[in-house]
Amino acid sequence: MALIEVNFKIPFEDIKEGMFVTYSQTITDADVKTFAGLSGDHNPVHVDDAYAENSRFKKRIAHGLISGSFFSALFGTKLPGPGCVYVAQSYNFKRPVYLEDTVTAIATVTSVDSKKRRVFFDTVCKVKNKTVIDGTAELYVP
């Protein structure tokens, strides 16, 4: 399978196995606090420095779903693109993401079901070239 990075919107019929898209973002204190407010997850390992210092992580970690949400950005804006809808997403959390880490999300097409208009992906988030999340996704393209 040849890997081809996609940097522009392409028609559904042109989506092929091996195409991939990436998105990178540095996680900030503001991101964590905003996510806590939106999700209601105020776990002190995410929002309380003193608590986190005594945790196994030794400092605050970002909510896993902040990094996981970067796939939504990729799918909705790049590949498959505007109008697509999630059918499924799995996450395997491998390592913590700390504040000020830069997370790179990568989604790679593994198969396309033209009849049902579904695109299947392998998904991975990396920090400093180490996998922090992996999984799969299935998207419907109207």
Side-chain angles (χ1 to χ4, degrees):
M1 150 177 73
L3 294 178
I4 302 163
E5 185 168 13
V6 176
N7 290 313
F8 51 88
K9 171 72 174 112
I10 63 170
F12 175 81
E13 296 72 29
D14 293 341
I15 297 173
K16 305 287 184 232
E17 183 178 332
M19 291 180 165
F20 71 96
V21 287
T22 65
Y23 174 79
S24 294
Q25 182 170 319
T26 300
I27 305 297
T28 66
D29 176 62
D31 295 330
V32 170
K33 288 178 179 171
T34 299
F35 190 85
L38 287 170
S39 67
D41 181 355
H42 297 277
N43 182 335
V45 77
H46 302 306
V47 298
D48 184 324
D49 287 318
Y51 180 92
E53 285 174 13
N54 293 309
S55 75
R56 65 184 271 197
F57 304 110
K58 304 301 180 205
K59 57 185 178 178
R60 287 170 51 204
I61 60 171
H63 302 78
L65 288 178
I66 292 175
S67 299
S69 71
F70 297 157
F71 298 120
S72 184
L74 288 172
F75 298 141
T77 63
K78 292 185 177 184
L79 183 69
C84 70
V85 178
Y86 263 112
V87 174
Q89 173 82 57
S90 70
Y91 298 106
N92 300 302
F93 297 97
K94 305 290 190 176
R95 290 178 146 74
V97 173
Y98 296 95
L99 278 66
E100 304 308 319
D101 277 349
T102 299
V103 177
T104 299
I106 307 158
T108 304
V109 176
T110 57
S111 66
V112 178
D113 182 337
S114 298
K115 190 171 189 170
K116 292 184 178 179
R117 297 190 63 85
R118 305 284 172 98
V119 183
F120 299 84
F121 293 86
D122 278 339
T123 56
V124 64
C125 283
K126 294 187 175 210
V127 172
K128 297 177 185 165
N129 229 15
K130 292 185 179 176
T131 299
V132 295
I133 299 173
D134 65 21
T136 61
E138 178 182 348
L139 281 290
Y140 167 73
V141 183

